[in-house]
Amino acid sequence: MKAYSKPDRAALPVVLDASDVSVVIDGKVILHGITFFIPKGEFVCLTGPNGAGKSTFLKTVLGLVKPTSGRIDILGKPAHEARASVGYVPQRKGFDRDFPARAIDLLVATLRGAWPFRVTEIERERARKALVRVGGEKLIDKPIAGLSGGETQRVFLARALINDPVLLILDEPTAGVDTKGRAEFMDVLSEISRSDELAAILVTHNLAAIARTAERVVYLQDGHLAAWGLPHELMGRQSLEALHSNHGHALGEPSASADESPRFADDD
Amino acid sequence: MNFLTEPLSQPFMVHALLAGIMVGGLCATLGVFVVQRGLSFIGDGLAHACFGGIALGLLIGTTLENSTLVALPFTVLVALGIAYVLRRGRLRGDVAVGVFFSFSFALGVLFLGLRPPDAPVVNVESVLFGSILAISEHDLWVIAGVTAVSLLILGATWSRLAYATFDAELATLSGVPVAALDYLLLALVAVVIVVAVKTVGVALVSSFVIIPAASARLLGQSLPGVALIALGLGSGGAAAGLLLSYHLDVASGATIILVMSAVFAVTVLARGKRAS
């Protein structure tokens, strides 16, 4: 097996530490002994074919699924005790689009852990700052029902950032977003990926997204960690292409444009 | 002026108005969460479960008045059963409610049929269509107690319930006890339905839950705003319908629902006009 470059555990504090994580659901093994870690400030792209276990891994990191064996620590705490330190942008937005609320209500709900009756000036300012960070300050009072796909992603990203997390989790955030919204969102993600403070996991099939954001890539395959290394190591001829060809998908070179980039498979 | 003073000179109308205002407001406020969660069918389902509970009470020998004491735990149990099935996540809300609805109603019919031939005759019409004009002082105190306790619980859990209604997964990640709130909401709806059945009956009670909340949803811009509008429309609709029924000398429960429906229709038309 090819040797990939791992981060130096001693160089920076470890934010996410997955140690031999296995998850069995309804008798089916979804994750097999996943072991890797993310140091402070590192932006990791988690990729692999559909059904590889990416979403289950994220749910385990979020503390929504308990590992059957092994453990996930976030800054030394078990995942389910560290939820406040994690910002999360879900793939499918499960919220009711008809809900009578503005963007600021959602952001303040995340701050408080409860839906706001009234928003204080301090809360408004924190919401505004989070939206400024994602280029969405104009959205603050916009009804959620009126947000476009790209705007919704910005609001959800601001929501994920509002509590100053140490770890940001993005589950295929541009799935279902139009071309323009996707390109704009990738610009924001690219900016965030340069942060030295925030560690992040971006689940994506999109090679351009990996090219623009990844400082390290984790490739899952059939619930196993198939590769963990630097983007250029995995995106060379004998790397992702070889890994992925095992699954019969075509793989091209990454393009500069996020919206026209080659993909492993449709976002799931 | 006579429109108000004449009915209010009658004690039965005062009782009915107070009961209608409390039940109308409470059902509508809870209805905001029910409608927003896409569970509008739940009112009907639990009302029919209540019928099953009343029939069980009659089978074991309680009077129609006291059968509420059996209907209450029975309906709450059905509500918890629906919440459990909904939380399993494999069936849609309308399917889960529909199954429990049919099951409870069938049980009710079976229980009534199993009563001994010499059992007292039951006025099924009053169960189906309510008897708001026959509200006693004792009933009024029960309604007031249930309203006060329900509003206290709703007030204490409102903002978390709202967050869980918006998105259960995000609310869970923010530390909201979503499962407990799901069960609590349906149990609360069950209790309120049982009390409300006395006023408008099994057949019409779900309208109290759904119609004012649906109108408010069209008018309000925020969830607190929608809840306050629903409260006003529920209480106001009940009072207006009752007074109208008194003067027109027509069925009170049905008139209340028709007034609420008229408000809904006007709201839909006004919204349509504004949108165009």
Side-chain angles (χ1 to χ4, degrees), chain B residues 132-210:
Chain B
I132 193 168
L133 300 180
I135 295 281
S136 66
E137 197 174 321
H138 173 260
D139 292 334
L140 207 53
W141 279 112
V142 171
I143 292 171
V146 169
T147 304
V149 171
S150 301
L151 287 179
L152 275 176
I153 293 173
L154 208 51
T157 56
W158 192 91
S159 44
R160 286 170 178 236
L161 205 49
Y163 197 2
T165 302
F166 175 76
D167 187 313
E169 186 179 65
L170 295 183
T172 301
L173 291 172
S174 292
V176 175
V178 172
L181 288 172
D182 285 351
Y183 286 112
L184 177 77
L185 177 65
L186 290 202
L188 211 51
V189 173
V191 171
V192 172
I193 289 277
V194 172
V195 173
V197 158
K198 177 82 183 172
T199 58
V200 280
V202 167
L204 298 175
V205 70
S206 69
S207 317
F208 264 48
V209 177
I210 300 164

Side-chain angles (χ1 to χ4, degrees), chain A residues 6-265:
Chain A
K6 309 286 186 295
D8 180 1
R9 191 178 267 277
L12 286 168
V14 172
V15 172
L16 176 105
D17 198 352
S19 174
D20 201 19
V21 175
S22 293
V23 172
V24 180
I25 297 174
D26 293 336
K28 190 180 173 196
V29 183
I30 310 292
L31 295 174
H32 301 256
I34 303 293
T35 297
F36 75 96
F37 65 91
I38 305 177
K40 181 181 174 185
E42 188 168 272
F43 199 104
V44 172
C45 282
L46 177 63
T47 191
N50 290 339
K54 303 185 295 295
S55 292
T56 303
F57 182 75
L58 286 196
K59 286 190 174 170
T60 314
V61 174
L62 289 165
L64 295 173
V65 170
K66 202 175 170 191
T68 309
S69 62
R71 59 182 292 155
I72 292 184
D73 287 341
I74 294 165
L75 287 181
K77 284 186 188 171
H80 66 275
E81 290 178 19
R83 282 177 181 160
S85 311
V86 179
Y88 172 52
V89 181
Q91 178 194 117
R92 285 197 182 87
K93 307 295 180 282
F95 74 93
D96 177 5
R97 290 201 172 269
D98 197 33
F99 200 86
R102 300 164 300 160
I104 189 171
D105 295 324
L106 173 58
L107 270 68
V108 174
T110 310
L111 271 177
R112 288 189 195 177
W115 202 262
F117 225 120
R118 296 183 68 177
V119 174
T120 67
E121 277 307 308
I122 294 169
E123 288 170 333
R124 186 176 179 82
E125 184 54 20
R126 281 192 68 178
R128 193 190 65 78
K129 280 183 179 167
L131 282 165
V132 165
R133 202 167 164 192
V134 300
E137 62 271 35
K138 287 180 184 166
L139 305 174
I140 192 162
D141 288 315
K142 199 164 176 181
I144 285 173
L147 295 174
S148 69
E151 288 173 339
T152 303
Q153 293 307 92
R154 280 174 194 252
V155 169
F156 271 77
L157 181 56
R159 179 202 158 275
L161 294 170
I162 198 165
N163 279 325
D164 298 321
V166 293
L167 177 66
L168 178 64
I169 294 178
L170 305 116
D171 189 1
E172 300 197 47
T174 55
V177 178
D178 64 19
T179 305
K180 184 168 174 276
R182 182 177 290 208
E184 287 173 357
F185 191 77
M186 284 312 303
D187 289 342
V188 176
L189 270 196
S190 178
E191 185 66 34
I192 286 173
S193 70
R194 291 188 204 112
S195 163
D196 291 333
E197 296 296 318
L198 186 62
I201 306 175
L202 167 65
V203 171
T204 184
H205 289 107
N206 186 312
L207 290 184
I210 296 173
R212 286 189 68 181
T213 59
E215 291 169 289
R216 201 139 337 234
V217 177
V218 169
Y219 189 94
L220 292 187
Q221 182 179 300
D222 297 331
H224 294 272
L225 187 132
W228 171 31
L230 296 170
H232 70 85
E233 294 173 330
L234 276 85
M235 295 173 87
R237 273 187 60 211
Q238 294 181 340
S239 53
L240 277 186
E241 190 172 271
L243 284 168
H244 208 70
S245 62
N246 292 336
H247 293 265
H249 298 283
L251 183 71
E253 288 301 312
S255 72
S257 160
D259 46 296
E260 292 170 358
S261 62
R263 299 154 66 78
F264 294 145

Side-chain angles (χ1 to χ4, degrees), chain B residues 28-221:
Chain B
T29 311
L30 274 171
V32 170
F33 291 108
V34 170
V35 168
Q36 203 63 49
R37 288 173 176 231
L39 291 172
S40 299
F41 204 28
I42 193 88
D44 262 326
L46 292 179
H48 286 77
C50 178
F51 175 77
I54 289 172
L56 177 62
L58 293 171
L59 177 64
I60 61 174
T62 67
T63 61
L64 185 57
E65 286 291 309
N66 290 335
S67 61
T68 307
L69 296 173
V70 180
L72 189 68
F74 184 88
T75 312
V76 169
L77 269 178
V78 171
L80 296 178
I82 293 172
Y84 176 77
V85 173
L86 286 176
R87 285 201 57 78
R88 301 283 295 177
R90 299 204 174 159
L91 288 174
R92 277 176 23 169
D94 57 346
V95 180
V97 175
V99 170
F100 279 93
F101 174 129
S102 314
F103 170 73
S104 311
F105 198 71
L107 272 183
V109 173
L110 186 73
F111 291 154
L112 285 181
L114 288 175
R115 294 175 75 223
D118 58 343
V121 177
V122 177
N123 181 3
V124 177
E125 198 173 307
S126 77
V127 177
L128 289 177
F129 302 111
S131 48
I132 193 168
L133 300 180
I135 295 281
S136 66
E137 197 174 321
H138 173 260
D139 292 334
L140 207 53
W141 279 112
V142 171
I143 292 171
V146 169
T147 304
V149 171
S150 301
L151 287 179
L152 275 176
I153 293 173
L154 208 51
T157 56
W158 192 91
S159 44
R160 286 170 178 236
L161 205 49
Y163 197 2
T165 302
F166 175 76
D167 187 313
E169 186 179 65
L170 295 183
T172 301
L173 291 172
S174 292
V176 175
V178 172
L181 288 172
D182 285 351
Y183 286 112
L184 177 77
L185 177 65
L186 290 202
L188 211 51
V189 173
V191 171
V192 172
I193 289 277
V194 172
V195 173
V197 158
K198 177 82 183 172
T199 58
V200 280
V202 167
L204 298 175
V205 70
S206 69
S207 317
F208 264 48
V209 177
I210 300 164
I211 300 175
S215 306
R217 176 62 197 89
L218 293 171
L219 294 168
Q221 304 295 317

